[in-house]
Amino acid sequence: PLAPEGAIPIFASLQRPIILVRSRLRGPYPIVFDTGSNDNAIDTEVARGLRLRRVRGTDVEVIDGSTGARFTTHSSMMPEIDIGGYVVGDRAVTVYDWRHPSEVGIFSPTLFSGRLVQLDLPRARVRIRAKDAWSAPEAGRTAYMENGLPGIEVNLPGHGPAMAKLDTGNNSELLLPEAFLDRVRLRAAPTVVGTATSVSGSRDILGGVIEGDVQIGDVTLTNPDVLFSGLTPNVGFPVIKRLNVLLDPAGGGSWLLSRRTLGASTT
């Protein structure tokens, strides 16, 4: 079983939060802590090196959140998981080829289901909290989105409020679907600004500059750059690390909390 409470160090690499994971005392392996996913996955080569046992009858359909592309793979049992001294134990993980040279997979808050997960990113850590030790407030709760992931309201010039995915695995401040191209106020017509690569391939990315202020919790982005990609609005790690977010993966709810609200119980 999970330890009731603990702290996991976070390391920022290319604006993505990295946790260092050990299994069977081997590693550490650099893995992205991704609130924009409900999967826990590692690279095929890592699974092979650890000689992980495949879980029978566990074909897994993976959906790329950026493109909607799907592919089928399997799960394996990853034993004796330890993240920065916080013992998780044995967990089933999805196995597929990971295409990032400095990372070998993703772990999501679902790894800590049954606990509260506090993104204490100004202190470069994630706090794991027992529900019976600190009760999450009913006021201010935001239900998870239909895709089963945490969200936050974003106020967009020319559009108004929209729900966006809280996605620490995204290294951009703000992503909007291409359907928003005619819904938000831009300084100029969007242009191709680069190519994005994910587990399912590569694609061109349109970008532009929003005219005015974008409000995300207590963070204000003035005339921010925006990328148009994906299926839903998306708030990335550069913004989330300025917020104080509490997640309840099992209960499907999240909160934006002030230091005053959290008090001494989170120190």
Side-chain angles (χ1 to χ4, degrees):
L2 286 171
E5 296 201 351
I8 295 171
I10 291 285
F11 304 90
S13 172
L14 299 177
Q15 293 297 300
R16 283 158 68 86
I18 301 296
I19 54 178
L20 299 181
V21 177
R22 295 182 182 273
S23 174
R24 289 178 172 156
L25 301 179
R26 296 181 63 181
Y29 302 103
I31 290 179
V32 179
F33 183 72
D34 190 358
T35 61
S37 173
N38 51 25
D39 193 16
N40 301 295
I42 61 167
D43 180 68
T44 305
E45 288 299 320
V46 174
R48 186 176 295 119
L50 287 169
R51 298 182 178 180
L52 300 189
R53 174 176 54 84
R54 181 168 177 164
V55 180
R56 292 184 178 180
T58 58
D59 286 347
V60 178
E61 184 180 52
V62 177
I63 303 174
D64 188 321
S66 298
T67 65
R70 301 166 182 257
F71 61 92
T72 301
T73 182
H74 67 275
S75 292
S76 291
M77 189 59 63
M78 190 171 182
E80 303 171 24
I81 296 173
D82 181 302
I83 311 174
Y86 182 84
V87 177
V88 175
D90 302 350
R91 288 289 187 276
V93 295
T94 307
V95 178
Y96 52 83
D97 294 343
W98 194 256
R99 300 187 181 185
H100 297 273
S102 59
E103 308 158 3
V104 298
I106 59 171
F107 279 2
S108 73
T110 62
L111 195 74
F112 312 103
S113 186
R115 300 286 185 265
L116 299 175
V117 180
Q118 181 197 347
L119 306 182
D120 193 9
L121 300 180
R123 297 184 182 181
R125 64 183 182 179
V126 170
R127 296 281 296 175
I128 311 300
R129 311 208 64 86
K131 285 189 177 184
D132 58 358
W134 190 82
S135 297
E138 289 299 322
R141 179 182 184 273
T142 299
Y144 273 24
M145 302 174 70
E146 290 183 359
N147 56 12
L149 296 171
I152 187 171
E153 186 175 274
V154 176
N155 201 348
L156 299 165
H159 178 280
M163 285 301 296
K165 179 170 65 175
L166 277 169
D167 187 1
T168 56
N170 167 25
N171 61 8
S172 301
E173 285 187 334
L174 182 64
L175 295 180
L176 295 175
E178 289 189 11
F180 277 62
L181 281 168
D182 298 325
R183 302 180 190 175
V184 295
R185 191 164 58 242
L186 299 177
R187 284 188 161 181
T191 59
V192 175
V193 295
T195 302
T197 300
S198 65
V199 294
S200 62
S202 299
R203 66 199 182 283
D204 289 337
I205 298 294
L206 292 174
V209 177
I210 292 179
E211 181 73 37
D213 289 343
V214 175
Q215 194 69 36
I216 307 171
D218 57 4
V219 173
T220 301
L221 306 177
T222 300
N223 302 327
D225 292 334
V226 60
L227 300 179
F228 294 92
S229 177
L231 306 177
T232 61
N234 187 305
V235 172
F237 183 61
V239 173
I240 299 172
K241 68 183 182 181
R242 298 164 60 186
L243 300 171
N244 199 338
V245 181
L246 186 72
L247 305 175
D248 181 2
S254 64
W255 296 261
L256 288 176
L257 300 175
S258 67
R259 295 294 172 187
R260 180 179 301 177
T261 301
L262 289 169
S265 63
T266 62
T267 60

